[in-house]
Amino acid sequence: MGRVAGPYVPDENDRELLRMLHGGGEISGEEISERLHMTRAAVWKRVQRLRSLGYSIESAPRRGYWLAGDVLRPDDILAQLHTRWLGRTLVCQDVVDSTFHLARDLEAAGAPDGAVAVAGQQTAGRGRLNRTWASPPDAGLYFNILLRPKLPPVQAVRLTPAVAVGVCEGLRGMGFDARIKWPNDIVIGARKVCGMLLEMGGDMERLRFVSAGIGINVSQGAEDFPEELRDRATSLAQETDRRLSRTEVLCVVLESAERAIDLCYADYGALLENYRARSATLGARVRATSATGEASITGVATDINENGELIVQDDAGAPHVLRAGDVSIRGMMGYV
């Protein structure tokens, strides 16, 4: 299928110019000229070419150039992405109902292992347990990773902690104190910044694909969340003073996810130890509810076994194995 990109792929000078602009703020034409070792006229021509490709680059005398908005473009993503196999086939759209649908189209068309579907906004995003996912325009990052793992179906559950570790480590590498809330939410402090959902296709004998849907809150302010979620949700912008582009976040997370998935295949025990080390759930007092909502357990989360199941010891000292469902952690996301 190959790369899906614009008619022109930026060369190295264009990539460096985009990196400067993505750094935030205004940058003078003189500084760009010095860093790229070219004339001011040549800089202007490159800016014009990037504008013709859809980049919203503004300029003013004595101020320089700056990037307006936060547009996701496939050629820009591919220019900044440093992976071996993940994301090398890429589809990027401004608005979709769900990136799961994009990923299903890619899978049906025979897209290779590691294909990625990206959108700037979802109109029908969903999370775990059929919850809706608030997706305001141009603020969040929504993408699906399509995997074709050479694993027996019974081991497909291993990819849940792998993807969670990949996203968590990517955000930590950007300076955020990100942790994993079982099974695959990412929290910063006491609030959720990222949710994930995995679906798979195949039969009892063969795993055909796994599609990992990931939603990251990037630039939302508190006012962008529904009132009932404001004490439970956060965004990267609310947790740092540094300006982040969604392209930068996507590339960092994909690079980290590739390392985590590779580790999952090579040494699952080591991957699981990484998952435990980044867990916000282990050792905490929790309230666990089954997937059907019929049973509720209160106790302490003591371990995560090799199947990714959570072990909760109730107040009577009895252990319970939670295969699926919902867990509330005391002091986090509204659970007091």
Side-chain angles (χ1 to χ4, degrees):
M1 180 174 258
R3 296 183 179 186
V4 179
Y8 170 74
V9 176
D11 63 20
E12 187 52 43
N13 281 324
D14 287 338
R15 294 187 186 101
E16 181 59 28
L17 175 54
L18 286 168
R19 281 192 285 269
M20 284 187 267
L21 293 170
H22 277 303
E26 301 166 0
I27 183 167
S28 69
E30 181 179 4
E31 182 177 350
I32 296 173
S33 176
E34 290 177 355
R35 289 173 62 175
L36 296 184
H37 306 290
M38 62 179 60
T39 66
R40 296 278 293 274
V43 169
W44 183 82
K45 288 181 180 179
R46 286 186 178 273
V47 169
Q48 289 297 95
R49 180 163 56 189
L50 291 174
R51 283 170 170 163
S52 72
L53 293 174
Y55 292 95
S56 183
I57 302 172
E58 297 186 5
S59 60
R62 295 184 297 277
R63 291 177 58 188
Y65 300 94
W66 64 93
L67 199 61
D70 187 8
V71 179
L72 290 164
R73 291 187 52 86
D75 48 4
D76 195 7
I77 295 167
L78 290 170
Q80 298 185 53
L81 184 63
H82 302 289
T83 57
R84 292 181 299 103
W85 57 270
L86 185 55
R88 307 321 300 180
T89 294
L90 178 74
V91 169
C92 184
Q93 293 190 15
D94 293 332
V95 181
V96 297
D97 54 357
S98 169
T99 55
F100 271 102
H101 296 161
L102 277 181
R104 287 171 192 159
D105 290 343
L106 281 173
E107 194 281 325
D113 182 37
V116 173
V118 188
Q121 182 184 5
Q122 295 184 118
T123 59
R126 61 188 175 95
R128 294 181 61 248
L129 306 180
N130 290 318
R131 294 173 177 144
T132 58
W133 181 273
S135 307
D138 303 323
L141 177 61
Y142 315 101
F143 60 102
N144 267 64
I145 296 172
L146 178 66
L147 300 173
R148 298 190 183 277
K150 295 180 175 60
L151 293 174
V154 70
Q155 292 182 5
V157 294
R158 295 184 173 187
L159 290 166
T160 295
V163 174
V165 166
V167 176
C168 184
E169 292 293 350
L171 296 183
R172 292 183 70 86
M174 299 180 75
F176 298 98
D177 185 20
R179 294 183 297 159
I180 304 167
K181 175 181 174 291
W182 186 89
N184 52 10
D185 287 340
I186 306 298
V187 296
I188 298 175
R191 297 186 292 173
K192 178 176 175 177
V193 74
C194 170
M196 285 169 265
L197 182 66
L198 275 68
E199 68 176 20
M200 59 194 69
D203 52 39
M204 295 295 292
E205 296 183 356
R206 176 176 172 266
L207 182 63
R208 195 173 77 250
F209 73 89
V210 171
S211 182
I214 301 163
I216 302 176
N217 299 328
V218 178
S219 58
Q220 289 95 330
E223 69 280 359
D224 293 316
F225 295 111
E227 188 171 352
E228 66 272 16
L229 295 181
R230 290 176 187 173
D231 64 341
R232 302 173 58 192
T234 189
S235 70
L236 300 181
Q238 292 182 67
E239 303 294 333
T240 184
D241 294 330
R242 185 163 73 92
R243 180 182 180 274
L244 296 171
S245 74
R246 291 182 296 173
T247 296
E248 177 188 2
V249 175
L250 176 65
C251 290
V252 169
V253 167
L254 289 179
E255 290 159 16
S256 179
E258 182 180 76
R259 292 191 294 271
I261 295 167
D262 283 342
L263 180 60
C264 175
Y265 295 150
D267 188 347
Y268 178 64
L271 182 279
L272 198 56
E273 282 306 305
N274 289 351
Y275 181 82
R276 292 183 179 115
R278 297 304 184 204
S279 175
T281 309
L282 290 182
R285 186 162 182 80
V286 302
R287 183 176 63 227
T289 305
S290 67
T292 61
E294 297 171 355
S296 182
I297 304 162
T298 301
V300 175
T302 60
D303 196 11
I304 296 166
N305 67 22
E306 64 180 22
N307 295 321
E309 299 162 335
L310 184 68
I311 312 301
V312 177
Q313 181 175 300
D314 68 21
D315 294 336
H320 301 263
V321 178
L322 194 67
R323 295 176 176 83
D326 198 29
V327 168
S328 298
I329 301 174
R330 175 153 290 176
M332 185 174 293
M333 292 173 60
Y335 175 37
V336 179

